[in-house]
């Protein structure tokens, strides 16, 4: 467009915005009942899709499936560390193309809730904060601290400006009807004291000053200052009330399942319970609710938080990790959304009148003029019958019946009517590509490898007395930090020596004289590692090489940014001659940040001296493996099954598909044989996969694959057999119907 035309178009748009608001620019406001678009109250159904947890190629389909599922709004966080990995250097390409994502949502005719934060939580590395932020002198996160506030404001303003430049706010004709500042600060603000209180006031006024033209929310923030809308997050929010009668009752996170951790069983949430929670919310005056997540997706690369958040972020969401609708969850919720929308005119007209219909039975009636809608709930755990307006209604336990005309039940949340499909993984043997292009049965010869040196191998290593904290040392440039020590024993050393290591986490491998002697790992509940490893020392020089590793940085809690990781000690040798113990903690250790293979860029597969003789090392710690493979044919989503491998990270054509850890098995107990949806849900109520690896299948987005030749590179930490790796495709299976 020529400059003059651009200016003309701009003026025209501006003119239309001012003078013809309903057609082009929406005026978003709120009152006690609801959000208002151009003065009209609306009932909204929203769902979370985090754009970096899928690929741009997947976005249109995910958004369409959301629309088909009855959503009006797509909610996403903005992930600061993804967009500004180095201070002042921005990345908004590929999976980080936020503008494109927002535009695609708009193109589908849906609205956007942009949760800028910029603290996200979200089981995302470091809660979304860039690591460089931690190194700004004098900084204290999420409190009344000038350096922090300056950075938070700069990034928030940057995002707001970006959206404005593209006319993406509803006030400009775009899809964004809401923005969020901070995230659940009210849950953890106590230890921040008075400074936390003033920080929230500052955050509210800073956000307001950015003039987005649309309302801001603060979730889980009972003291959210006006005009911020304080909203609810949880498995149920029907009992929630905002902090002012002038604000609507909104639910920003209705957890559709729960996240998976390495070492944990797989959580799921029955759709009958979700539907019950949603219906109860609208029954009790709510007008906006958001599924967290509607599509969870994948923690590619090193984006997962934690520690110990798995690479899959499936979340048991209505759309599964691979982009396939999950039935009957998706379909039943779609039916529910239709039923709620049939009540919209009544819902926005008035507050409900709530009456008891008996023990655990409750009616809410929205009646105004000629419209009338009713919700009849049984919040008890046994089935019941209720009389309402002279009619008798069967009310199954833990359910809500929706009557858009106050008479006829169009839906009961416990009765699933939607036709149901299943989807399942079909294993395919890994077709390895010979140079000649043929597919091979025996794969050993098609793998090549490089051994990662044990201990110090890079010339940027450094020595220091004492043990260092890991995150301050690596700045999260790598998961890995070597702690190395060489120690001399002049005479006999006892055969029963024990190496005792205490670490803040998250896992470690101990090598004595070049051999793996033992490992230790924390878990999602307690990241700390405390191990006693029996070792054999020799007379003379001994090397102790400790590889400490992080598995996603802490993303939640008061002062979570300072919790730390790594071997901070003590490290001792117990049971030496005469039973003595020596403390090695304050010795002079040599440190190496990251791996040699990382520095060399082995993950691309295109550099490095790869060995390809026939003696492929198996079950050898610290090994890089590489192969070429043919993509499974068709368009079904693809996963790699890492059964047989230990722990590490994998790259397909240079793109990291995330950390793999199929050897981390969930506890044997805690999984109920069946999960009764009746009664209050909690994140540990319904678990499956006990005693099994938490995650064996890892998503490889189709768009990262070429039809013919692809490179797979793995870094294996603890030892595995890459020839056992297989592919799976996810296919939609048989049609069955619930009655
Ligand atoms: C909430 C938080 C989300 C996410 C969720 C659990 O507390 O706001 O970002 O972490 O918990 O999945």
């Amino acid at each position: 467009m020529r400059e003059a035309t651009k200016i003309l178009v701009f003026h025209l748009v501006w003119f239309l915005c001012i003078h013809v608001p309903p057609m082009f620019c929406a005026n978003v406001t709120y009152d006690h009942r609801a959000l208002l678009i151009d003065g009209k109250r609306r009932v909204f159904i929203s769902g979370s899709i985090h754009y970096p947890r899928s690929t741009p190629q997947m976005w249109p389909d995910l958004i369409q499936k959301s629309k088909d599922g009855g959503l009006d709004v797509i909610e996403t966080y903005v992930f600061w560390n993804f967009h500004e990995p180095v201070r002042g250097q921005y990345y908004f390409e590929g999976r980080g193309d936020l503008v494109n994502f927002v535009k695609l949502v708009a193109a589908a005719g849906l609205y956007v809730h942009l949760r800028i934060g910029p603290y996200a939580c979200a089981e995302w590395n470091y809660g979304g904060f860039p690591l460089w932020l931690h190194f700004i002198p004098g900084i204290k996160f999420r409190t009344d601290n000038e350096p922090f506030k300056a950075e938070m404001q700069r990034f928030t303003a940057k995002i707001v400006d970006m959206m404005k430049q593209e006319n993406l706010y509803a006030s400009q004709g775009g899809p964004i009807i809401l923005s969020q500042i901070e995230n659940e600060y009210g849950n953890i603000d106590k230890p921040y004291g008075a400074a936390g209180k003033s920080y929230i006031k500052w955050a509210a006024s800073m956000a307001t000053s950015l003039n987005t033209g649309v309302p801001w929310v603060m979730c889980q923030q009972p003291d959210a200052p006006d005009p911020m809308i304080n909203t609810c997050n949880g498995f149920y929010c029907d009992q929630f009330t905002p902090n002012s009668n002038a604000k609507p009752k909104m639910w920003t996170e209705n957890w559709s399942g729960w996240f998976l951790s390495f070492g944990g069983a797989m959580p799921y949430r029955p759709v009958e319970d979700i539907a019950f929670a949603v219906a109860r919310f609208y029954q009790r005056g709510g007008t906006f609710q958001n599924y967290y997540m509607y599509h969870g997706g994948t923690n590619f690369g090193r984006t997962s938080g934690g520690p110990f958040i798995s690479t899959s972020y499936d979340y048991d969401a209505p759309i599964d990790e691979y982009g396939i609708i999950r039935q009957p969850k998706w379909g039943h919720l779609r039916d529910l959304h239709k039923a709620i929308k049939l009540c919209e005119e009544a819902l926005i007209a008035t507050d409900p009148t709530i009456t008891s219909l008996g023990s655990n039975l409750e009616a809410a009636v929205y009646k105004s003029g000629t419209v009338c809608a009713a919700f009849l709930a049984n919040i008890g755990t046994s089935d019941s019958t209720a009389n309402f307006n002279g009619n008798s209604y069967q009310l199954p336990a833990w359910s809500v019946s929706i009557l858009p005309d106050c008479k006829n039940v169009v839906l009961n949340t416990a009765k699933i009517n939607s036709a149901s499909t299943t989807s399942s993984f079909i294993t395919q043997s890994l077709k390895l590509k010979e140079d000649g292009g043929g597919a091979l049965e025996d794969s050993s010869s098609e793998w090549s490898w490089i051994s990662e040196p044990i201990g110090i191998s890079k010339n940027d290593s450094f020595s220091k007395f004492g043990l260092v904290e890991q995150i301050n040392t690596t700045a999260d440039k790598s998961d890995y930090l070597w702690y190395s020590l060489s120690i001399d024993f002049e005479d006999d050393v006892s055969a029963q020596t024990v190496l005792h290591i205490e670490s803040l986490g998250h896992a470690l491998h101990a090598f004595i004289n070049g051999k793996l002697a033992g490992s230790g790992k924390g878990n999602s509940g307690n990241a700390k590692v405390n191990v006693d490893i029996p070792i054999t020392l020799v007379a003379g020089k001994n090397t102790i090489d400790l590889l400490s590793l992080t598995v996603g940085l802490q993303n939640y809690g008061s002062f979570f940014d300072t919790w730390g990781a790594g071997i901070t000690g003590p490290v001792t040798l117990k049971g030496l001659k005469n039973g003595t113990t020596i403390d090695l903690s304050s010795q002079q250790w040599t440190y190496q940040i990251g791996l040699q293979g990382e520095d060399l860029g082995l993950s691309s597969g295109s550099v490095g001296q790869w060995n390809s003789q026939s003696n492929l090392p198996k079950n050898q710690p610290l090994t890089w493996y590489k192969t070429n493979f043919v993509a499974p044919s068709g368009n079904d989503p693809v996963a790699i099954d890492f059964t047989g491998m230990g722990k590490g990270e994998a790259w397909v054509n240079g793109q990291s598909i995330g950390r793999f850890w199929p050897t981390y098995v969930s506890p044997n107990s805690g999984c109920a044989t069946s999960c009764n949806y009746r009664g209050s849900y909690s994140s540990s109520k319904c678990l499956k996969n006990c005693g099994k690896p938490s995650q064996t299948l890892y998503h490889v987005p189709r768009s990262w694959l070429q039809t013919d030749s692809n490179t797979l590179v793995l870094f294996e930490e603890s030892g595995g057999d890459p020839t056992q790796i297989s592919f799976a495709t996810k296919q939609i299976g048989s049609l069955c119907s619930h009655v």
Side-chain angles (χ1 to χ4, degrees), residues 80 118-119 126 129-153 182 185 188 191-196 198-200 202-203 557-563:
W80 189 357
Y119 165 67
Y126 216 38
F129 284 136
L131 242 292
W132 52 258
L133 201 61
H134 175 69
F135 295 98
I136 291 178
I139 202 157
K140 287 200 176 81
F141 287 12
R142 303 179 78 196
T143 189
D144 198 348
N145 168 274
E146 294 308 322
F148 177 77
K149 290 189 298 182
E151 290 300 319
M152 171 166 166
Q153 175 159 6
E182 250 296 337
Y185 190 69
I188 52 89
Y192 295 85
S198 50
Y199 163 63
I200 276 305
W202 167 83
S558 306
F559 308 110
F560 73 86
D561 50 300
T562 62
W563 293 11

Side-chain angles (χ1 to χ4, degrees), residues 118-351:
Y119 165 67
C121 190
E123 290 71 68
W124 189 266
N125 196 39
Y126 216 38
F129 284 136
L131 242 292
W132 52 258
L133 201 61
H134 175 69
F135 295 98
I136 291 178
I139 202 157
K140 287 200 176 81
F141 287 12
R142 303 179 78 196
T143 189
D144 198 348
N145 168 274
E146 294 308 322
F148 177 77
K149 290 189 298 182
E151 290 300 319
M152 171 166 166
Q153 175 159 6
R154 184 184 54 75
F155 184 74
T156 307
K158 160 106 191 157
I159 296 297
V160 167
D161 285 348
M162 223 170 139
M163 298 300 116
K164 279 189 188 169
Q165 263 167 35
E166 301 279 343
N167 294 318
L168 293 176
Y169 282 102
S171 49
Q172 305 171 290
I176 305 172
I177 54 167
L178 275 179
S179 276
Q180 177 176 298
I181 195 78
E182 250 296 337
N183 187 78
E184 290 194 335
Y185 190 69
N187 288 1
I188 52 89
D189 63 358
K190 277 227 171 59
Y192 295 85
K197 298 277 169 209
S198 50
Y199 163 63
I200 276 305
K201 290 204 181 93
W202 167 83
S205 70
M206 184 274 283
T208 311
S209 75
L210 297 174
N211 290 318
T212 59
V214 302
W216 287 91
V217 306
M218 281 184 163
C219 61
Q220 294 290 103
Q221 194 69 50
D223 58 351
D226 297 343
M228 304 282 122
I229 307 171
N230 66 309
T231 64
C232 181
N233 295 346
F235 289 114
Y236 307 95
C237 279
D238 47 278
Q239 301 300 319
F240 168 79
T241 38
N243 64 13
S244 144
N245 204 36
K247 297 175 187 176
K249 173 167 170 170
M250 294 174 62
W251 187 1
T252 32
E253 291 182 25
N254 173 6
W255 301 316
S256 57
W258 199 242
F259 55 84
L260 174 69
S261 297
F262 286 126
M266 194 180 287
Y268 65 99
R269 186 178 181 195
V271 69
E272 293 93 333
D273 177 57
I274 305 176
F276 170 76
V278 171
R280 285 287 289 153
F281 181 72
Y282 289 95
Q283 168 168 27
R284 287 220 150 220
T287 47
F288 181 110
Q289 79 93 27
N290 174 75
Y291 296 102
Y292 185 103
M293 303 295 296
Y294 197 72
H295 170 256
T298 310
N299 294 313
F300 297 114
R302 298 172 60 243
T303 60
S304 72
F308 298 103
I309 298 298
S310 62
T311 294
S312 168
Y313 198 65
D314 179 85
Y315 222 91
D316 196 30
I319 304 177
D320 76 12
E321 174 176 10
Y322 295 83
I324 297 176
I325 57 175
R326 173 170 276 122
Q327 295 288 40
K329 197 171 251 192
W330 181 90
H332 187 48
L333 295 177
R334 177 202 52 199
D335 296 347
L336 171 68
H337 305 151
K338 282 186 188 153
I340 291 167
K341 284 302 173 76
L342 289 173
C343 305
E344 178 158 11
E345 287 311 313
L347 282 171
I348 57 172
T350 173
D351 279 332

Side-chain angles (χ1 to χ4, degrees), residues 293-576:
M293 303 295 296
Y294 197 72
H295 170 256
T298 310
N299 294 313
F300 297 114
R302 298 172 60 243
T303 60
S304 72
F308 298 103
I309 298 298
S310 62
T311 294
S312 168
Y313 198 65
D314 179 85
Y315 222 91
D316 196 30
I319 304 177
D320 76 12
E321 174 176 10
Y322 295 83
I324 297 176
I325 57 175
R326 173 170 276 122
Q327 295 288 40
K329 197 171 251 192
W330 181 90
H332 187 48
L333 295 177
R334 177 202 52 199
D335 296 347
L336 171 68
H337 305 151
K338 282 186 188 153
I340 291 167
K341 284 302 173 76
L342 289 173
C343 305
E344 178 158 11
E345 287 311 313
L347 282 171
I348 57 172
T350 173
D351 279 332
T353 304
I354 294 178
T355 53
S356 169
L357 301 178
S359 162
N360 286 327
L361 304 178
E362 185 182 283
V365 176
Y366 291 88
K367 186 168 169 44
S368 165
T370 56
V371 291
C372 185
F375 292 71
L376 309 183
N378 178 354
I379 57 173
T381 47
S382 35
D383 297 348
S384 209
T385 307
N387 274 311
F388 173 70
N389 281 352
N391 293 315
S392 172
Y393 294 87
Q394 297 282 326
L395 291 179
W398 205 253
S399 79
V400 178
S401 286
I402 300 178
L403 295 65
D405 59 355
C406 282
K407 188 156 183 241
N408 295 293
V409 176
V410 297
L411 182 130
N412 175 275
T413 56
K415 294 183 186 159
I416 300 172
N417 289 314
S418 75
S420 184
T421 52
T422 55
S423 61
S424 55
F425 283 100
I426 313 287
T427 305
Q428 317 220 341
S429 63
L430 180 59
K431 282 191 187 158
L432 303 173
K433 200 162 152 39
E434 272 182 321
D435 284 343
L440 280 182
E441 282 302 304
D442 172 39
S443 40
S444 287
S445 58
E446 287 308 302
W447 285 90
S448 51
W449 79 95
I450 294 177
S451 295
E452 174 70 27
I454 291 163
I456 307 301
S457 60
K458 303 200 292 143
N459 53 20
D460 58 359
S461 65
F462 58 93
S463 295
K464 211 173 167 177
F465 286 97
L467 295 162
V468 300
E469 192 282 324
Q470 184 157 347
I471 300 167
N472 277 307
T473 310
T474 63
D476 201 33
K477 295 253 157 34
S478 167
D479 280 0
Y480 304 100
L481 179 64
W482 280 108
Y483 295 66
S484 293
L485 188 67
S486 169
I487 179 162
D488 270 305
F489 289 100
E490 287 185 351
D491 36 48
D492 292 0
V493 270
S494 155
Q496 285 107 44
T497 309
V498 167
L499 174 64
H500 173 78
I501 309 170
E502 288 183 38
S503 162
L504 294 176
H506 309 147
L508 61 87
H509 304 292
F511 296 83
I512 302 297
N513 297 326
K515 290 248 150 24
L516 182 60
S519 301
K521 57 182 187 291
N523 60 59
S524 58
N526 178 10
K528 291 192 175 145
V529 188
N530 208 322
V531 279
D532 282 304
I533 302 172
I535 58 167
T536 311
L537 297 168
V538 295
K541 190 181 148 209
N542 291 269
T543 53
I544 299 176
D545 294 303
L546 309 178
L547 182 61
S548 176
L549 47 123
T550 52
V551 193
L553 302 191
Q554 187 70 33
N555 61 266
Y556 182 76
S558 306
F559 308 110
F560 73 86
D561 50 300
T562 62
W563 293 11
I567 304 169
T568 49
V571 173
T572 60
L573 285 175
K574 297 198 279 197
L576 289 165

